[in-house]
Amino acid sequence: MLSYWRQYLAISPFYLVFAVFSLFPVFFSLFLAFQHWDGLGEMQFVGLQQFQFLVRDPVFWQSVGNTLAIWVLSTVPTLFGALVLAALVHSVRRFKGFYRIALFLPNVTSIVAVTIFFGAVFSNNFGLVNAVLGAVGIPPVAWLTNPWLIKVVIALLMTWMWTGYNMIIYLAGMQAIPAEIHEAARMDGAGPVRSFFRITLPMLRPIILFTVVISTINGLQSFSEPQVLFGTNAANAALGGPGQAGLTTLLYFYQEAFMNNDYGYGAAIVWAFFLLIIVLVVVNWRLVQRGRKP
């Protein structure tokens, strides 16, 4: 291996940057989870006290509940809509490239700009949605003050952002299926719907598993949406909106670590949430894998 020292030296900057800015912060955050530290004074070792307080912290469990609700409300329609759109785009013969770009565009749009736009559209008093509802005689809806509707708005925002991304992945999987299989199914009398459920969907199972795992990880890390939507800052007591209905776990971590300067408790929140993400990823993996033939 010493004979390849020049090659290793050439790629060493990447590993040095990765070790300093990615690997070290991970282990340092785990170390902080057992310390009490305000970022300036001396660290004080407190053992498992941070996690013991975490178990009894009602705000933490509220943030976990909010995060799970937003995740379910966004992930299910995102993956279903992406699969339907991929099937439609795959079946068209003209302007296929235009549809791909148009549907993928929301994913590369600034999330801050999109969140500000959604906040204006769903505004309680002057929002476009309430204006349309008022035009047909429906009274205004409290989109950004009702606890559940707050979650619905955040979930709609995330659905709009990520449907196109998953659609591109499903579309690539559909295009990789040999055309001869579908032709043979048509010769046997299978229609488009039966062919989709009997051929396309089973052959997309590994890709669906991938999107479920990625969507679980991304969906549980919602942070910018409620932060921008409700103007989170040091002077805003209603973190996550009225009643903290939009307070996600990462937003709560941000509050404790960078607004309250309790870096030890913030690290404990992150590591507890990391374990929760691992559990949910494994559960989703097993659910998608169930029924698959060896």
Side-chain angles (χ1 to χ4, degrees):
M1 292 186 62
L2 293 178
S3 60
Y4 296 100
W5 69 269
R6 293 181 180 87
Q7 289 82 352
Y8 288 116
L9 182 63
I11 63 175
S12 62
F14 166 79
Y15 292 101
L16 290 175
V17 172
F18 175 79
V20 173
F21 294 100
S22 295
L23 197 60
F24 171 74
V26 169
F27 288 103
F28 185 65
S29 67
L30 181 60
F31 171 75
L32 275 182
F34 301 95
Q35 311 289 326
H36 176 70
W37 188 47
D38 61 1
L40 295 175
E42 294 184 1
M43 295 184 184
Q44 178 184 357
F45 179 77
V46 294
L48 296 175
Q49 292 183 17
Q50 307 277 23
F51 294 96
Q52 292 173 352
F53 179 77
L54 187 75
V55 174
R56 302 189 302 269
D57 185 2
V59 181
F60 170 75
W61 291 111
Q62 181 184 6
S63 71
V64 171
N66 293 340
T67 303
L68 292 177
I70 294 171
W71 167 63
V72 173
L73 291 172
S74 63
T75 301
V76 174
T78 294
L79 297 183
F80 177 77
L83 191 59
V84 173
L85 289 174
L88 293 176
V89 174
H90 184 62
S91 64
V92 300
R93 298 183 179 273
R94 303 179 60 185
F95 306 111
K96 185 173 293 188
F98 169 77
Y99 293 131
R100 292 176 185 172
I101 295 174
L103 292 171
F104 186 72
L105 191 61
N107 187 252
V108 297
T109 307
S110 169
I111 189 171
V112 174
V114 173
T115 305
I116 293 174
F117 173 76
F118 265 71
V121 168
F122 287 95
S123 174
N124 292 348
N125 299 321
F126 307 104
L128 178 62
V129 174
N130 278 341
V132 173
L133 294 177
V136 295
I138 300 177
V141 178
W143 296 102
L144 300 181
T145 53
N146 181 279
W148 271 104
L149 292 180
I150 287 174
K151 299 177 179 62
V152 170
V153 171
I154 298 175
L156 285 174
L157 196 162
M158 297 174 64
T159 301
W160 189 84
M161 290 284 296
W162 290 101
T163 299
Y165 170 83
N166 291 285
M167 183 274 298
I168 292 294
I169 296 177
Y170 289 149
L171 181 60
M174 291 178 183
Q175 292 176 339
I177 298 175
E180 295 80 5
I181 299 178
H182 289 286
E183 292 176 1
R186 283 195 296 269
M187 293 180 62
D188 290 338
V193 176
R194 185 175 181 182
S195 178
F196 177 80
F197 284 101
R198 295 287 185 175
I199 298 175
T200 304
L201 209 56
M203 297 191 73
L204 284 179
R205 184 183 289 271
I207 299 176
I208 293 175
L209 174 61
F210 169 78
T211 57
V212 167
V213 172
I214 295 299
S215 298
T216 300
I217 296 173
N218 289 333
L220 291 173
Q221 295 184 64
S222 53
F223 169 76
S224 300
E225 299 87 351
Q227 184 196 29
V228 177
L229 194 62
F230 298 105
T232 301
N233 52 63
N236 184 9
L239 191 70
Q244 297 182 318
L247 179 67
T248 61
T249 306
L250 287 188
L251 188 55
Y252 184 48
F253 150 74
Y254 172 80
Q255 177 195 30
E256 292 298 315
F258 299 105
M259 296 173 64
N260 296 340
N261 296 324
D262 192 348
Y263 292 96
Y265 189 53
I269 293 173
V270 167
W271 276 97
F273 191 57
F274 169 74
L275 295 177
L276 176 62
I277 291 177
I278 294 297
V279 171
L280 291 176
V281 166
V282 172
V283 170
N284 283 328
W285 180 288
R286 296 298 300 171
L287 289 176
V288 177
Q289 289 283 68
R290 180 179 298 177
R292 185 178 182 179
K293 295 182 181 180

